[in-house]
């Protein structure tokens, strides 16, 4: 059996070094659709070095290293065919604002391996700190199709109730036909997002947009719409990837204000608002 849960959970943490510059931040922001309109003062905060601030979801690509989905497959006890791997969810806790340029140490380890019957779910936690202390913590939940059934712990199953009532704000965010080709320059070179033959082998009609690209687009929509464009107000951000996005589709982002948080649901307008992100919460100051 490719998944050895005991080995994965017992393995010690892996450490590494990352660094990033303003150029990396700008590329990430462009990859999630920032800069439209190009002269908009709000957009220039994402694209112009003299005004630059960092959207917290940049943490998922900082250092241009392998994303959590890929890193998890290299951890002890974890082995799976990449074509059968999906990103199930993502959580991010920001300990302080991410600097425009920096260097940091990453420490990652598998903190959960769950048997869902027809699939396995692996949780990979990464803690990141610089010389001044902790910067952020993220958790990637990776869904490995066909790797369950060994009788292991099924893991948490409780999900938050969906938001009720009409959303406080709804915005549409179009994606470009080449959005995935641009976003993958931030470091995620998974062929699922570029190679039609690979996408077909994985069960999709054509290459799909990175879940973390949708993740970034959504956080930007929340910050720009309900947090007055202030990225420093974001404290944490969690989501479950409920469906795929095809490049060129339009995302409908619905937002509900709550005390200290924004509940969010995202659907693909082109497919009758098929769910894309669910159980999504942005906690803020």
């Amino acid at each position: 059996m490719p998944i050895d849960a005991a080995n994965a959970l017992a393995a010690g943490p892996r450490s590494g070094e990352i660094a990033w510059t303003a150029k990396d931040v700008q590329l990430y922001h462009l990859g999630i659709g920032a800069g439209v309109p190009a002269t908009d003062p709000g957009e220039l905060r994402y694209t112009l070095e003299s005004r630059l601030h960092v959207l917290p979801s940049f943490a998922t690509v900082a250092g241009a290293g392998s994303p959590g989905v890929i890193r998890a497959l290299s951890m002890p006890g974890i082995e799976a065919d990449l074509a059968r791997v999906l990103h199930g969810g993502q959580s991010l806790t920001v300990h302080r604002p991410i600097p425009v340029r920096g260097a940091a140490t990453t420490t990652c380890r598998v903190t959960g391996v769950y048997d869902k019957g027809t699939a396995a779910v692996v949780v990979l936690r990464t803690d990141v700190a610089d010389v001044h202390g902790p910067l952020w913590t993220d958790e990637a939940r990776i869904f490995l199709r066909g790797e369950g059934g060994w009788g292991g712990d099924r893991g948490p199953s409780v999900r938050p109730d969906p938001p009720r009532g009409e959303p406080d704000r709804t915005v549409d965010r179009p994606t470009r036909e080449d959005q995935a080709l641009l976003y993958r320059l931030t470091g995620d070179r998974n062929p699922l997002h570029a190679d039609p033959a690979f996408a077909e082998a994985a069960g999709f009609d054509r290459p799909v947009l990175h879940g973390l690209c949708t993740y970034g687009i959504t956080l930007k929509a929340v910050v720009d719409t309900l947090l007055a464009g202030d990225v420093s107000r974001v404290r944490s951000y969690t989501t479950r990837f409920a469906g795929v996005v095809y490049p060129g589709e339009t995302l409908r982002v619905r937002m509900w204000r709550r005390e200290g948080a924004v509940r969010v649901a995202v659907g693909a307008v082109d497919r009758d608002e098929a769910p894309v992100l669910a159980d999504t919460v942005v906690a803020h100051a």
Side-chain angles (χ1 to χ4, degrees):
M1 182 180 66
I3 304 300
D4 185 339
N7 186 19
L9 293 170
R14 287 185 174 179
S15 296
E17 304 294 326
I18 60 172
W20 63 93
T21 68
K23 181 179 178 180
D24 299 316
V25 174
Q26 290 166 306
L27 178 60
Y28 172 74
H29 289 160
L30 292 172
I32 61 168
V36 181
T39 57
D40 186 315
E43 295 301 318
L44 289 173
R45 294 176 301 183
Y46 296 103
T47 58
L48 186 61
E49 54 274 13
S50 61
R51 307 183 191 182
L52 198 59
H53 62 196
V54 183
L55 193 70
S57 52
F58 170 73
T60 60
V61 303
S66 298
V69 171
I70 305 299
R71 290 201 310 274
L73 299 184
S74 69
M75 300 299 285
I78 307 298
E79 181 181 342
D81 180 356
L82 183 59
R84 299 176 66 82
V85 174
L86 295 173
H87 201 157
Q90 184 75 26
S91 297
L92 171 68
T93 299
V94 184
H95 303 300
R96 53 191 166 87
I98 300 173
V100 169
R101 54 187 58 80
T105 299
T106 65
T107 304
C108 63
R109 67 181 303 159
V110 173
T111 58
V113 181
Y114 303 119
D115 182 355
K116 298 297 186 179
T118 59
V121 172
V122 175
V123 180
L124 183 71
R125 172 177 170 138
T126 303
D127 293 287
V128 179
D130 65 8
V131 294
H132 303 293
L135 272 172
W136 68 80
T137 298
D138 72 54
E139 282 192 347
R141 294 179 291 282
I142 300 100
F143 193 82
L144 310 178
R145 294 179 290 178
E147 302 298 341
W150 74 88
D153 180 7
R154 288 191 61 84
S157 59
V158 177
R159 290 177 179 168
D161 293 332
R164 296 182 179 179
E166 290 298 313
D168 294 292
R169 293 292 299 272
T170 298
V171 297
D172 288 353
R173 291 292 183 264
T175 64
R176 296 162 45 127
E177 186 176 346
D178 61 353
Q179 196 84 54
L181 300 179
L182 177 58
Y183 183 84
R184 71 195 303 264
L185 298 180
T186 64
D188 187 343
R189 300 300 182 98
N190 186 338
L192 175 63
H193 309 296
D195 184 344
F198 189 93
E200 182 179 5
F204 299 101
D205 294 337
R206 57 188 186 277
V208 301
L209 189 63
H210 307 68
L212 287 178
C213 183
T214 303
Y215 186 76
I217 291 170
T218 300
L219 182 60
K220 182 177 182 295
V222 172
V223 168
D224 291 348
T225 303
L226 295 182
L227 302 184
D230 187 352
V231 298
S232 69
R233 294 181 60 187
V234 176
R235 295 292 178 263
S236 65
Y237 176 30
T238 186
T239 197
R240 176 172 62 86
F241 297 112
V244 300
V245 176
Y246 292 102
E249 292 185 324
T250 295
L251 302 175
R252 179 155 292 158
V253 183
R254 294 180 291 152
M255 296 167 267
W256 291 260
R257 292 180 184 268
R258 297 294 185 264
E259 184 67 30
V262 179
R263 297 287 303 275
V264 189
V266 182
V269 174
D270 309 68
R271 287 177 285 121
D272 297 321
E273 295 195 44
V276 173
L277 298 188
D279 305 339
T280 306
V281 180
V282 178
H284 62 83

